[in-house]
Amino acid sequence: MEIISSVNYSETMQKKVEPYLEKYRVIKYFERTKGEPICYERYAMPDAKACVIISHGFTENSDKYHEQAYYFLNEGYSVYIINHRGHGRSFRMTKDPSLVHIKDFNGLTEDLPSLRQR
């Protein structure tokens, strides 16, 4: 497997990785709680070996994991990356997109089974 070098990293991501991902990327939403849409990215590989679900960390979002999605796709796996509530393009309890506010961290893990059904 080819690992992306730190030399010319931005250029490689822009010219190679992102165009490759775009062929497979579908951005979708689901609502586990009415009125609170949760965004996720789906990269469906035809005849995939299996599916990988990436659950980002606090104050992160799916954008940080495009390189990892690229590696998994190249190895024949489909990839789902959730934008947890309060993060990325998902429902927020605050209007300021630079802030993350979570009422209950259990909600983050309770959203994951809903993603698996997509």
Side-chain angles (χ1 to χ4, degrees), residues 16-98:
K16 183 176 183 179
V17 175
E18 290 295 340
Y20 179 79
L21 291 177
E22 201 54 44
K23 291 190 271 184
Y24 299 98
R25 180 184 297 140
V26 176
I27 297 174
K28 300 191 93 172
Y29 293 83
F30 69 90
E31 287 187 3
R32 188 177 62 80
T33 304
K34 187 170 174 51
E36 298 181 5
I38 304 299
C39 180
Y40 66 95
E41 295 181 18
R42 180 183 73 199
Y43 301 87
M45 177 62 66
D47 302 317
K49 295 177 187 178
C51 178
V52 174
I53 296 176
I54 298 175
S55 173
H56 66 74
F58 189 64
T59 72
E60 296 179 337
N61 64 57
S62 59
D63 294 343
K64 184 174 181 178
Y65 293 89
H66 289 168
E67 181 182 349
Q68 285 73 25
Y70 175 77
Y71 294 139
F72 282 121
L73 283 169
N74 276 295
E75 292 298 315
Y77 295 90
S78 289
V79 179
Y80 286 70
I81 311 173
I82 191 168
N83 279 285
H84 290 293
R85 53 185 66 242
H87 296 77
R89 293 178 293 274
S90 290
F91 169 79
R92 295 176 171 276
M93 295 182 76
T94 177
K95 291 182 183 193
D96 184 344
S98 69

